[in-house]
Amino acid sequence: MSARCLVATLSLLVLVLATLSPTTMAGDNESLTASYRAKGQAGLDRLQQSEMQQACSGPVGMEVAADVATKIQKAAMDGVVLPADGKLLGQWEKGQKIAQTGTGMQSSDDPATPNGGNCYACHQLAPEEISFGTLGPSLAGYGKIRGQSEAMLKYTWTRIWNSHAYSACSHMPRFGDAKILTEEQIRDVMAFLFDPASPVNK
Amino acid sequence: MFSQYREMLGEGNPAELVEMQGEELWSAARGPKNKPLSACDLGLGAGVVAGAYASLPRYFKDAGRVMDLETRLAWCMNDIQGLSESAVTARPFSVQGQTATDLEALTAWIAGQSRGKVISVPQKHAKEQAAFAEGKRLFNYRAGPYDFSCAGCHSQSSKRIRLTVLPNLTTQEGAANAYRSWPAYRVSQGALRTMQWRMVDCARQQRLPELIFGSPAAVSLLTYLGATANGGIMDAPGIKR
């Protein structure tokens, strides 16, 4: 076999394998569903990946292709729902409670109890709170630093609703898109970030 | 902050009591066959306990699959003692504040017999390599309403969830620090917790359905973690907040 022929054969093989990979994934995931059982509100359907989840499950350090990233971001952006009444800010006191609450949607959680936002797991918020995580950027002084322009409010709402609108493989949950928080809860979290009286801005 | 607290707790670890419970169980004649477990092959030969934990999970020819210690113990309880595997694994973990289960006690004692041993999870058999590859795939597998994977929290160094430092399990150092310290006495739960428990509880926090004890996914994740930790020195049962 000539070298050129070998290269052509190999390229074809790679192409065939790439086409086959979704089938392979489905096969592998049969063993995955056999490893879990439905419990409480967590059904086996949760093991099925969305296109975004599948694209963002590569080995650590692997970037998604630019066209895939653009597609994910556009789909996320198109799905953002802004409040019909245009009111983006609620009560910061309620938002603070949501930021402190870590439960919600676990198999052990009561679905009748409102979900938390668990913002402190990953972000610094009010400087007075010392128990904060560092997986996400610090949001201390969020509103004081950025002001309350319409563009800034909408950007922040979008980040909370579906962070993938700005970074394709963001690790932040899609709080609005995945119905983790209600519109009213997101308003309250927004107020916690922006209200000059909120401890975030003290 | 928690690391200092952990160090303080290390003096007089209640896991020692659980280890003693496990040591007795290992040589006690039990089950329908009224036999002791001490003929069980944990990978280094029938009845060899010293160093066994440090080289698990591994492939077992008699069972035809890769097993971690807890899965192997359940298999031996069935094979040697005649206890049904489903009965043994129906409630593998103790309820907070209650006496350790047989599996937990045996795991604590056997892990303790690997203190100071070098972690050396084998990767020779094709099924051991396949378990590693599947474990790595699952580590990165994002799913559920929160889109979480193991990697989301455990692929960077020096990050925290609130005040708890997260190990970077993709590095040898991070994986070894985690692997060497389990099973561990969890002070906040008043109970000894095992690696299988750790996997099950991580899946719960990932908002996934319940990870089944000893399932292929659980054993694969442990194979990936254990083999990444190779070279580290076992120091379990540990103690955690």
Side-chain angles (χ1 to χ4, degrees):
Chain A
M1 200 190 291
S2 74
R4 183 182 288 179
C5 184
L6 184 68
V7 168
T9 313
L10 281 177
S11 318
L12 188 68
L13 189 68
V14 167
L15 199 70
V16 169
L17 284 177
T19 325
L20 280 178
S21 69
T23 327
T24 319
M25 287 288 288
D28 285 345
N29 286 345
E30 273 170 38
S31 79
L32 188 60
T33 46
S35 290
Y36 292 82
R37 63 179 149 243
K39 187 180 179 185
Q41 57 181 307
L44 289 177
D45 56 310
R46 290 192 179 184
L47 297 170
Q48 297 306 317
Q49 289 181 313
S50 67
E51 268 181 56
M52 178 280 288
Q53 289 173 335
Q54 190 171 347
C56 295
S57 291
V60 173
M62 198 187 91
E63 302 264 329
V64 286
D67 59 326
V68 178
T70 308
K71 199 180 150 200
I72 292 171
Q73 289 177 207
K74 188 180 180 305
M77 188 63 89
D78 290 348
V80 175
V81 179
L82 290 162
D85 59 5
K87 204 173 154 258
L88 296 175
L89 298 170
Q91 297 174 34
W92 70 259
E93 294 91 340
K94 286 184 181 171
Q96 182 171 40
K97 213 171 174 183
I98 294 163
Q100 288 278 15
T101 305
T103 45
M105 285 188 161
Q106 295 170 124
S107 57
S108 51
D109 292 331
D110 177 359
T113 306
N115 299 326
N118 208 12
C119 312
Y120 276 110
C122 297
H123 297 285
Q124 182 180 30
L125 291 142
E128 66 187 19
E129 173 58 84
I130 59 152
S131 176
F132 61 87
T134 56
L135 283 163
S138 169
L139 305 176
Y142 192 88
K144 196 164 71 178
I145 295 165
R146 293 167 180 81
Q148 288 197 22
S149 68
E150 198 190 330
M152 186 49 67
L153 290 177
K154 279 188 178 166
Y155 162 78
T156 306
W157 183 277
T158 303
R159 267 278 174 202
I160 298 171
W161 189 274
N162 189 346
S163 184
H164 300 266
Y166 295 107
S167 22
C169 290
S170 167
H171 281 289
M172 179 163 147
R174 296 164 286 120
F175 288 100
D177 186 66
K179 297 189 166 60
I180 299 165
L181 298 179
T182 64
E183 188 176 86
E184 194 191 334
Q185 284 180 307
I186 297 177
R187 273 199 192 104
D188 294 336
V189 172
M190 289 280 290
F192 184 48
L193 288 170
F194 283 103
D195 198 312
S198 159
V200 168
N201 298 312
K202 295 292 175 192
Chain B
M1 188 177 289
F2 280 138
S3 51
Q4 281 172 317
Y5 178 55
R6 268 197 292 269
E7 217 168 279
M8 231 165 61
L9 290 171
E11 320 273 329
N13 185 345
E16 283 170 26
L17 295 172
V18 186
E19 284 181 68
M20 285 164 67
Q21 186 188 332
E23 185 176 10
E24 279 177 29
L25 275 172
W26 179 251
S27 46
R30 298 168 79 234
K33 295 188 187 171
N34 201 34
K35 289 265 175 63
L37 268 182
S38 44
C40 177
D41 182 356
L42 299 174
L44 302 181
V48 180
V49 172
Y53 191 92
S55 63
L56 286 165
R58 63 161 63 231
Y59 174 73
F60 288 91
K61 203 178 168 188
D62 52 13
R65 60 188 160 113
V66 176
M67 295 168 143
D68 68 318
L69 175 65
E70 293 166 73
T71 318
R72 183 64 181 171
L73 282 171
W75 190 89
C76 280
M77 283 161 126
N78 173 253
D79 186 55
I80 297 172
Q81 300 182 316
L83 295 159
S84 102
E85 216 170 322
S86 57
V88 169
T89 60
R91 291 192 55 214
F93 312 127
S94 57
V95 176
Q96 182 160 350
Q98 289 193 349
T99 316
T101 65
D102 292 353
L103 277 172
E104 286 169 336
L106 286 161
T107 302
W109 179 65
I110 294 165
Q113 302 306 302
S114 278
R115 265 196 205 93
K117 303 278 193 213
V118 179
I119 301 168
S120 45
V121 175
Q123 278 288 289
K124 286 199 187 94
H125 195 278
K127 289 204 175 172
E128 291 166 348
Q129 292 167 9
F132 180 93
E134 176 67 355
K136 188 174 182 180
R137 183 179 82 91
L138 294 180
F139 183 83
N140 291 296
Y141 190 91
R142 296 184 70 172
Y146 281 45
D147 312 320
F148 286 161
S149 63
C150 309
C153 288
H154 293 293
S155 61
Q156 299 177 74
S157 299
S158 312
K159 294 286 181 181
R160 301 194 320 243
I161 286 264
R162 299 212 80 153
L163 287 178
T164 305
V165 176
L166 296 159
N168 180 351
L169 302 178
T170 66
T171 67
Q172 189 274 337
E173 192 194 0
N177 281 336
Y179 207 76
R180 71 202 294 266
S181 64
W182 290 91
Y185 190 83
R186 204 77 196 257
V187 175
S188 58
Q189 302 187 5
L192 181 119
R193 295 304 186 203
T194 66
M195 264 300 189
Q196 283 283 339
W197 175 86
R198 182 62 277 174
M199 296 300 111
V200 169
D201 207 55
C202 272
R204 180 184 66 85
Q205 290 173 298
Q206 271 178 267
R207 273 73 184 172
L208 295 182
E210 186 182 26
L211 180 61
I212 296 168
F213 174 92
S215 62
V219 175
S220 296
L221 282 165
L222 290 178
T223 305
Y224 172 56
L225 180 61
T228 306
N230 276 347
I233 310 290
M234 279 305 298
D235 188 24
I239 190 157
K240 292 169 190 284
R241 65 176 171 85

